[in-house]
Amino acid sequence: MIPDGGRPAMHGYDVFRHYEQKRWTLAELPFDDIDRDRVRPEYVTMVKSSVMGEANSIAAQHGFLNEFDDYDFSTFVAVWGYEELQHHFAFRTWLDAVGVTMPAAPVEAMRAPYAPGTTPSATLATNIISELTVNHVYRSVAAWVDEPVLRSLMLRASRDEAGHAREFLHYARRRLAAHPGELPSVLETLYVYTSEARIKHPVGVFKSGLAEVADHETIDTAFDLFLAGIATEGELDRLQDNIRRAFAALTGLDLSTNGRVRRRLAEALA
């Protein structure tokens, strides 16, 4: 449907126009100017792990398009998938520039689609968490690395992930308004991913057991490195607090502690 003025009445159209204006390209990054003297082994480990995490956008798009019978959301998924694939290729380009080649098998093992969530709202909640997590980690890694091209790449990817989180929140808010009975699944998802003193990410939860990645870096490798040597004191708490605040804004509930998340879940199930 095209309303007066000729513009489609879809949020996905607005997202497309916004992304079109802010989009960056691999050609803008001076990979030929990488300062090899500043490249440390930990940087390579972090980037290889990021390649593995971003490789899952293909599987995620497959899952979204199968689970959601929603043209508007599907248009966002197409734009989102492009940006995530761009991150994947950008990190691989940085590795190529420093003489590191990614093996094919671990990346190709990421292709299998995810199983749908317990509800569509839970699927959206999971992706809100993943985007907020990677946004935070990429931003912190950018401040930590001493190689300028990688720093710029991490900052660009971090900004993209912040935008993705915002849009997943939009679609989750719309889904919950139409299906309020899915609220318990959202609260359960929040609790599962933020109730432990570690970073949990859907890629690690669903793909870490694959034989093809047994002897290779995974996204969990990046998170372990982040917590062991990059994160400042209390940073994990700040990350999880930020996630809970986003879900509080989504649901209108006080979710400021794990105990309150449990209580709101019990109330929603009563």
Side-chain angles (χ1 to χ4, degrees), residues 63-77:
F64 286 137
L65 296 175
N66 278 337
E67 185 176 358
F68 289 85
D69 184 16
D70 180 334
Y71 190 88
D72 186 1
F73 177 63
S74 298
T75 64
F76 162 67
V77 167

Side-chain angles (χ1 to χ4, degrees), residues 19-262:
Y19 283 12
E20 190 176 46
Q21 294 171 6
K22 75 175 184 63
R23 182 166 291 138
W24 53 276
T25 68
L26 267 66
E28 295 172 21
L29 288 166
F31 292 105
D32 291 339
D33 297 335
I34 289 174
D35 188 341
R36 288 173 172 266
D37 291 337
R38 297 188 181 188
V39 175
R40 293 161 44 186
E42 301 96 316
Y43 299 178
V44 173
T45 297
M46 183 63 70
V47 176
K48 291 173 75 175
S49 302
S50 299
V51 167
M52 293 298 294
E54 300 287 0
N56 284 271
S57 65
I58 303 299
Q61 287 180 78
H62 186 143
F64 286 137
L65 296 175
N66 278 337
E67 185 176 358
F68 289 85
D69 184 16
D70 180 334
Y71 190 88
D72 186 1
F73 177 63
S74 298
T75 64
F76 162 67
V77 167
V79 177
W80 169 84
Y82 176 92
E83 290 205 341
E84 297 288 16
L85 187 61
Q86 182 182 36
H87 299 168
H88 173 77
F89 284 142
F91 286 127
R92 292 187 74 156
T93 303
W94 188 88
L95 288 174
D96 288 343
V98 300
V100 177
T101 301
M102 286 290 295
V107 172
E108 292 175 0
M110 300 294 104
R111 172 61 186 88
Y114 292 99
T118 54
T119 70
S121 291
T123 297
L124 294 170
T126 299
N127 283 273
I128 293 166
I129 293 168
S130 67
E131 302 291 348
L132 289 173
T133 299
V134 179
N135 159 255
H136 183 104
V137 171
Y138 283 169
R139 187 174 66 251
S140 292
V141 170
W144 169 71
V145 299
D146 193 39
E147 199 290 300
V149 178
L150 181 56
R151 182 187 305 122
S152 178
L153 173 52
M154 285 287 180
L155 283 173
R156 290 167 190 253
S158 175
R159 287 193 292 265
D160 289 347
E161 305 294 8
H164 299 166
R166 181 178 60 248
E167 304 310 336
F168 277 115
L169 278 162
H170 168 86
Y171 286 105
R173 189 174 296 110
R174 192 179 72 179
R175 176 74 192 184
L176 279 175
H179 301 84
E182 295 182 0
L183 175 62
S185 69
V186 171
L187 299 176
E188 180 183 40
T189 300
L190 173 62
Y191 185 74
V192 165
Y193 280 92
T194 60
S195 61
E196 301 177 41
R198 64 188 181 99
I199 295 177
K200 291 181 71 174
H201 188 280
V203 174
V205 171
F206 293 105
K207 298 292 183 76
S208 61
L210 295 172
E212 293 87 347
V213 303
D215 298 315
H216 195 275
E217 291 86 353
T218 68
I219 195 168
D220 286 334
T221 309
F223 294 145
D224 290 344
L225 175 59
F226 173 73
L227 291 177
I230 303 172
T232 58
E233 184 176 355
E235 191 160 357
L236 176 59
D237 291 336
R238 290 192 293 276
L239 168 59
Q240 293 182 338
D241 286 345
N242 184 44
I243 293 171
R244 284 190 286 268
R245 282 196 299 272
F247 276 72
L250 170 65
T251 63
L253 301 172
D254 181 356
L255 304 172
S256 54
T257 66
N258 285 324
R260 287 173 179 157
V261 174
R262 287 196 306 271

